[in-house]
Amino acid sequence: MARVGVFVCFCGANIADFVDVPAVVEEVKKIREVKYAVYYKYMCSDPGQQIIKDAIAQYRLTSVVVAACSPRMHEKTFRRAVSEAGLNPYLLEIANIREHSSWVHQKNKKAATEKAGDLIRMAVAKSIANEQLHEISVPVTKRALVIGGGIAGIQAALDIADAHIPVVLVERSPSIGGRMAQLDETFPTLDCSQCILTPKMVDVASHPYIELIPYSEVIGLEGYVGNYKAKIKKKASYVNFSLCTGCGACTQKCPVKVPNEFNMGIDKRKAIYTPFPQAVPNKPVIDAEHCNMLLKGKCGICSKVCEKGAIDYTMKDEVIEREIGAVVVATGYDLWDPKPYEEYGVGRFKDVITSLEFERMVSASGPTGGLPIRPSDGKVPKTVVFIKCIGSRDEAKGIEYCSKICCMYTAKHAILLHHKVHDSRAYVFYMDVRAAGKGYEEFVKRAQVETGTTYLRGRVSKIYKMGDKLMVRGEDAQLGQVVEIEADMVVLATAIIPYKTNPALARLLGISYDKYGYLSEAHPKLRPVETAKAGIFLAGCTQAPKDIPDTVAQASACAAKVCGIFSGDALKKDPMISVVNPDYCSGCQNCVQVCPYQAITTEEIPITRGSKETRTVAKINEGVCQGCGSCAAVCRSMAISLKGFTDSQIINEIVSI
């Protein structure tokens, strides 16, 4: 005979304000199988959990129903309490009377109360048919894959490796460092970007637990948490890194020059090049799209001057495989193209540049020696106008969201301009100043007070040329008047957008992404670095725009999650997954087609015991299955059932109301 205990939570006022909880409990007590029912203000609290434990022992309960908030919030908490009381944790049932009742019927307390009673009655009926389940043990390959070598990938890789866990770090560029390597100084402390980044880059290259694979990309991922197999394509560098000493002779003698993408095309690099002076690894690669030897079979100067014989024009792309247990995705960000702002003269006026171009100019290792210059004539600008929110918060031409860091890096650029050109004058057109961070508001005020930067709240309507000057026409909303500024240079604070390959990478990894292309976390508050696919985590701007401190914190959080997975020799997994009864399976493979996790394959079994003839049946990989139930829904022969949601359990719920 079933002996069910029902525990109803007030959830503070979230439930009790809209549901007559005492009345619900009195109604529940009338159910034959309910041997104990009680309410408490916070059932998830320690006293609330103790009430459950004591009741299980005192009333010899065979199953427990907790009527509270979403099981996503506290199901693990209640399962642990039930388990500590000696009951199988999967004999617990959650009735969600907050999201499913009180929150959706706030204007009708009677309806909310009746629905809460129905939900609890259904949960009681289901709990009677619940079965004891036990966690699945999945073996773990203790090696992590980090995709992306920016500051997020570097931090995650170092934190994981410092725990003596092997890491494979894959970076698409010839060097790690990412966007942070392009920065001069960082807000709000104005410490040198390279000074704080380069030591970490060197640590990655020298760490005994990190395998650095630059100039490569992940092209395949199969398996499941703890047992993934990654395919990595190493692009041909045409330089044997084991022989190359990084002397630079080949780069000096190469006759081909192309725009330097690291410096935003302000200067040129050679066809054989090292991305920047502090690059790690500090070895050159040959750009196959511009090398005369590879394109035309003529030249070969780099090979002639290389004393170590490191140049190899016959090198091919290579695909390597690595067995790994978890993945950290840290692919970084790109910058929005401001060309839609035609009224700003983008592409027509050389002296209208982007913030990252300005950043490379003021960098000590940049193409102009750390001094901002006008691209049109090479002169040092004295009056510079900075325009914020170019592409951000603009549904008409750009994107809806705020890029988060533009306010801060614009303030930084105003300060750097004053440091480099002491008699300069800066103007900033803005919609709002969003300086949410430690020391951020003070930093913006510093830009306004110490450098005399003029902040004008309003949008720029037009930029036109007058002589060698740029006339910037906009509004000052605070004064309620149109202003016009004669500028030497205009700097556009362009929006952050996800890297262009994010959607393709998401599909490859089997995770979701939003309409902008950012990879989606499992829960924005409770699981901000996890994805819906177990063992895959997100760090940095691959998930959303963020600054360096937030990026580093998120990367370390990912590392902690990875270390948690690898903390034991096996991974414990929720047993509420699908199972196949091969006696009923017809081999139609509908389940194979609908499974979003590729958890179902087929196998051949004897038609009858001892028979040599075989038939095809479905086979579920319990390590991959996430218990979504899609397979059970499409199985025409009813050969598949989902543990915890069997037909008898669901029918019990339906009949109860």
Side-chain angles (χ1 to χ4, degrees), residues 50-79:
Q50 192 61 47
I51 291 172
I52 297 173
K53 295 176 186 178
D54 292 343
I56 290 173
Q58 183 177 350
Y59 296 94
R60 296 177 288 112
L61 302 179
T62 58
S63 61
V64 169
V65 172
V66 176
C69 59
S70 165
R72 295 184 70 181
M73 292 287 289
H74 294 300
E75 187 173 48
K76 288 185 178 180
T77 300
F78 292 123
R79 277 183 181 173

Side-chain angles (χ1 to χ4, degrees), residues 252-266:
Q252 294 174 6
K253 298 296 183 180
C254 177
V256 179
K257 294 183 179 181
V258 297
N260 186 347
E261 56 273 11
F262 184 81
N263 285 331
M264 304 300 292
I266 297 172

Side-chain angles (χ1 to χ4, degrees), residues 277 332 388 458 493 579 615 621:
K388 297 202 299 183
V579 292
R615 63 188 182 91
N621 186 326

Side-chain angles (χ1 to χ4, degrees), residues 52-227:
I52 297 173
K53 295 176 186 178
D54 292 343
I56 290 173
Q58 183 177 350
Y59 296 94
R60 296 177 288 112
L61 302 179
T62 58
S63 61
V64 169
V65 172
V66 176
C69 59
S70 165
R72 295 184 70 181
M73 292 287 289
H74 294 300
E75 187 173 48
K76 288 185 178 180
T77 300
F78 292 123
R79 277 183 181 173
R80 184 169 58 249
V82 168
S83 179
E84 290 173 357
L87 202 61
N88 185 284
Y90 296 95
L91 296 177
L92 164 75
E93 199 63 38
I94 302 287
N96 184 357
I97 63 171
R98 188 180 73 175
E99 284 86 344
H100 290 175
S101 185
S102 67
W103 280 5
V104 294
H105 298 291
Q106 294 184 10
K107 296 181 180 180
N108 191 336
K109 190 168 185 175
K110 182 181 178 182
T113 302
E114 290 178 356
K115 186 174 181 181
D118 288 342
L119 290 172
I120 295 172
R121 191 177 295 106
M122 292 170 66
V124 169
K126 182 173 184 289
S127 72
I128 295 169
N130 281 357
E131 300 173 345
Q132 293 194 33
L133 302 177
H134 301 279
E135 288 184 327
I136 298 167
S137 183
V138 180
V140 175
T141 300
K142 294 186 179 182
R143 183 185 292 113
L145 170 66
V146 177
I147 305 175
I151 184 58
I154 288 172
Q155 185 68 42
L158 287 173
D159 284 351
I160 297 169
D162 285 344
H164 291 188
I165 296 171
V167 178
V168 178
L169 176 56
V170 178
E171 165 57 36
R172 71 173 76 91
S173 303
S175 168
I176 58 174
R179 289 290 185 191
M180 188 173 172
Q182 293 179 283
L183 307 182
D184 177 39
E185 298 177 10
T186 58
F187 59 80
T189 52
L190 291 183
D191 43 357
C192 169
S193 173
Q194 288 291 351
C195 295
I196 57 179
L197 178 65
T198 302
K200 286 185 174 289
M201 294 167 60
V202 174
D203 287 347
V204 166
S206 60
H207 205 294
Y209 282 89
I210 296 179
E211 179 187 5
L212 175 58
I213 309 179
Y215 211 40
S216 304
E217 59 182 331
V218 176
I219 60 171
L221 187 76
E222 299 176 347
Y224 52 96
V225 57
N227 296 271

